[in-house]
Amino acid sequence: MEEVFHCVSKPPFRLVLESDKQPVIADMVEQQEEDQSDHARFHKTLRVMSCTTAEELHQALQASYDSFTDQYGVVLFLYSLLMTKGLANVKNEMEDASEPLVDGTYGHGSQSLVNLMLTGNAVSHVFDNEKEVDGLKMRGITVQPSSGFLTMLEHFRYCEVGWCLKNPTHPIWVLGSETHLTVFFTKEMSLVAPESKWERARRVFCQYDTQDSGFIQKILLQDVLQVLQLVAIPEYVDIIKQKLDPDDFGIILLSSFMNEFFPDEPDRVIPLNFPVFHYNGLIRSCPDSKVKYIEGVAEVPDPQDIQGLTDASPVESCLRTKWPTFMVNWENNYQPSVN
């Protein structure tokens, strides 16, 4: 929880808590005197605590831990992040400022809210950096988060999650279905090994390929070489341009670039099998109607070592958007749900 605050903003941090005192943000909440529902009474008792240092934030979160794990804890956490970030900043980062952060029908967070929680930025897309479509610039993810994100929508080919969200610094991924969010995690750190030179080169090249066309304009080659700290003096760049674009089409293909500068893709060393866990916070989606972690044993075999993949469960389908051969045997043969 504390890390999310640091991800969202610099000090001061603001915690929204319950109190018997006169509310200080009453003007931000609709006041309906006749409405004495639980949520109305809850909103009338809210107050804001400001923390000017990381140490103050740490102490305040420890002191108010019970509040954040109580009935309205998630709402308090959400309000605290929004107050810390600033509502104007959140709206400025969203592609459509009128889009609700929480779905009114199903109650799940929008992609902007998920991105805010994971990366500190309330952008509306899951791809890396910026993309330009018909002259419209759309903002995506620009930082490698602590926890990642994978979605069933990519399995259905409605979108493609970028490198940043697929490769967090910790082996934890939020899994998105059409109407719900669950969590997949493991202790196997090889799944989030540091980015190799080959991976970084490919990612940097794709940053300049804003339309996902598989190539960049030849004029951008020098910029790519400079970012990758390769030789970028004009005379050398001209020689490479001629080599990679002998027909003078004015473009540099990703495949040609990688074969020239990074021909050998490194092997990822992942154990033969490793324990994994899945968490779904909905009672109706858990075995015996008890919310608990589901444990399994997973493997990611080399595509050349398998004849064909078995039918995938929704969880496996979501995970295969990152590891195409991912397979898992869940404890007691129970198939966890993404809904």
Side-chain angles (χ1 to χ4, degrees):
M1 178 185 292
E2 191 171 339
E3 185 175 342
V4 179
F5 279 93
H6 290 286
C7 178
V8 164
S9 177
K10 297 179 180 179
F13 307 104
R14 293 183 172 85
L15 300 185
V16 178
L17 303 169
E18 291 183 84
S19 172
D20 294 330
K21 300 178 182 179
Q22 182 69 22
V24 297
I25 59 169
D27 59 320
M28 299 180 64
V29 182
E30 290 186 12
Q31 298 296 307
Q32 298 180 357
E33 295 299 331
E34 304 87 19
D35 187 357
Q36 294 301 314
S37 62
D38 288 344
H39 74 82
R41 286 193 294 270
F42 162 75
H43 280 102
K44 288 180 180 180
T45 64
L46 297 183
R47 64 185 177 90
V48 175
M49 174 188 292
S50 184
C51 303
T52 57
T53 66
E55 180 60 28
E56 285 184 16
L57 174 65
H58 178 73
Q59 293 177 357
L61 287 174
Q62 284 192 322
S64 56
Y65 178 80
D66 289 342
S67 296
F68 285 106
T69 58
D70 206 354
Q71 179 181 5
Y72 292 107
V74 173
V75 179
L76 290 175
F77 183 48
L78 172 59
Y79 288 174
S80 298
L81 291 180
L82 294 178
M83 292 291 289
T84 297
K85 176 79 173 182
L87 299 182
N89 292 328
V90 172
K91 289 183 177 181
N92 286 337
E93 291 176 350
M94 296 171 62
E95 188 167 270
D96 180 0
S98 65
E99 174 195 12
L101 290 176
V102 178
D103 187 274
T105 301
Y106 298 104
H108 63 77
S110 69
Q111 192 61 54
S112 293
L113 180 56
V114 172
N115 289 343
L116 174 65
M117 295 285 192
L118 293 177
T119 71
N121 297 314
V123 295
S124 302
H125 301 286
V126 294
F127 49 71
D128 290 341
N129 302 299
E130 289 186 347
K131 290 188 182 296
E132 185 173 333
V133 178
D134 295 331
L136 176 65
K137 283 190 176 181
M138 300 184 296
R139 290 183 291 178
I141 308 300
T142 59
V143 297
Q144 183 183 19
S146 295
S147 301
F149 179 78
L150 304 172
T151 173
M152 284 295 294
L153 296 181
E154 180 170 354
H155 168 69
F156 296 136
R157 302 185 185 280
Y158 291 132
C159 69
E160 183 176 356
V161 177
W163 184 93
C164 291
L165 286 177
K166 283 185 176 177
N167 295 276
T169 57
H170 295 80
I172 306 168
W173 289 266
V174 174
L175 306 184
S177 70
E178 301 93 319
T179 59
H180 188 42
L181 299 168
T182 60
V183 180
F184 170 85
F185 64 98
T186 177
K187 296 180 180 179
E188 183 48 61
M189 294 301 295
S190 65
L191 297 183
V192 289
E195 186 179 26
S196 67
K197 291 182 179 180
W198 186 93
E199 290 169 327
R200 181 171 182 270
R202 185 181 179 89
R203 177 171 61 82
V204 169
F205 187 98
C206 291
Q207 288 179 7
Y208 289 85
D209 177 14
T210 59
Q211 299 190 36
D212 284 335
S213 52
F215 61 82
I216 61 173
Q217 297 300 314
K218 188 160 60 175
I219 194 174
L220 297 175
L221 178 61
Q222 185 172 24
D223 294 336
V224 174
L225 294 175
Q226 288 176 337
V227 172
L228 294 174
Q229 297 182 327
L230 298 172
V231 177
I233 58 176
E235 295 81 4
Y236 175 75
V237 173
D238 288 340
I239 294 173
I240 293 299
K241 285 179 179 178
Q242 187 174 4
K243 182 177 181 180
L244 300 183
D245 182 25
D247 297 319
D248 199 26
F249 290 136
I251 62 173
I252 304 295
L253 296 174
L254 172 61
S255 56
S256 300
F257 177 83
M258 295 301 294
N259 288 334
E260 175 66 25
F261 293 101
F262 301 90
D264 299 319
E265 180 178 358
D267 294 328
R268 281 289 188 188
V269 181
I270 298 177
L272 182 62
N273 51 65
F274 49 93
V276 295
F277 303 86
H278 183 263
Y279 175 80
N280 190 326
L282 293 181
I283 294 177
R284 60 175 172 80
S285 298
C286 295
D288 303 321
S289 297
K290 294 181 179 179
V291 176
K292 59 181 181 180
Y293 301 106
I294 306 299
E295 185 173 356
V297 177
E299 58 179 316
V300 186
D302 189 301
Q304 298 179 354
D305 296 337
I306 57 177
Q307 297 296 323
L309 290 173
T310 58
D311 291 338
S313 66
V315 170
E316 285 178 317
S317 295
C318 193
L319 293 168
R320 285 180 184 178
T321 61
K322 174 171 172 58
W323 303 284
T325 61
F326 185 92
M327 295 184 287
V328 58
N329 291 315
W330 297 104
E331 190 175 54
N332 300 323
N333 293 320
Y334 180 83
Q335 292 294 332
S337 172
V338 294
N339 293 311

